[in-house]
Amino acid sequence: MLVTLEDQDRSRWNGALIAEGVAILDDALAMRRPGPYQVQAAIAACHATAPDAAATDWTQIAILYAELARMAPSPVVELNRAVAIAMADGIPAGLARIDELTESGRLAGYYVLPAARADLLRRSGRRAEAAAAYEQALALAPTDAERRYLTDRLRSL
């Protein structure tokens, strides 16, 4: 069963392990030689230390993804950055970046691209466009769990 970060019960997360991970990250960052793994850990820490999904520091996450894109450029990093930008600066800004990625063809066949677009369209109330994007993602989804999740999202529209 696929459960999004937004829908997880954070009270069930292990706070001691999160604190340990953040302390290790802090020690690594104190060396002032950040690499892509440290940036990825910092992104994870932003998610893990937010008391709930609504309190996530999306601006910081977008900044960290920009740094990760500089260090280890990839279209998947750019997709994640687009979502962070949408959450920080508004859905239109994120959709514009996702549309650029779509037009580039660099993530052709990667179901997460239309799934992310569908989610942003759903959040903005553009139900018909969201449904079309969910259908596209569903056709590309590689696992049963992902197909079930996308089917549920599509039905919710």
Side-chain angles (χ1 to χ4, degrees):
M1 176 178 191
L2 193 149
V3 180
T4 65
L5 191 57
E6 184 175 39
D7 293 329
Q8 291 179 25
D9 178 358
R10 293 176 186 223
S11 70
R12 299 184 69 178
W13 292 3
N14 188 319
L17 289 178
I18 291 169
E20 180 183 349
V22 170
I24 292 167
L25 174 61
D26 289 343
D27 289 345
L29 293 174
M31 298 173 136
R32 300 202 182 276
R33 296 176 56 210
Y37 295 124
Q38 289 171 324
V39 175
Q40 290 173 27
I43 292 166
C46 285
H47 287 294
T49 59
D52 55 46
T56 302
D57 187 348
W58 287 105
T59 299
Q60 182 63 34
I61 292 172
I63 290 166
L64 289 166
Y65 271 117
E67 181 63 15
L68 185 58
R70 186 188 65 74
M71 293 177 165
S74 83
V76 172
V77 169
E78 288 299 333
L79 176 58
N80 291 336
R81 183 178 176 203
V83 171
I85 287 169
M87 300 304 284
D89 298 334
I91 290 171
L95 278 173
R97 289 184 175 267
I98 286 176
D99 290 343
E100 288 172 13
L101 278 169
T102 301
E103 290 170 17
S104 77
R106 294 172 45 204
L107 288 174
Y110 183 52
Y111 89 97
V112 178
L113 178 66
R117 186 171 190 277
D119 185 63
L120 295 179
L121 290 165
R122 177 187 60 81
R123 289 173 188 268
S124 66
R126 294 163 60 181
R127 297 167 60 96
E129 291 172 90
Y134 278 127
E135 290 280 359
Q136 184 182 12
L138 192 53
L140 298 169
T143 70
D144 288 340
E146 290 157 333
R147 285 188 290 276
R148 279 191 302 274
Y149 172 79
L150 293 166
T151 298
D152 288 346
R153 283 291 191 185
L154 183 58
R155 286 183 184 146
S156 75
L157 296 173

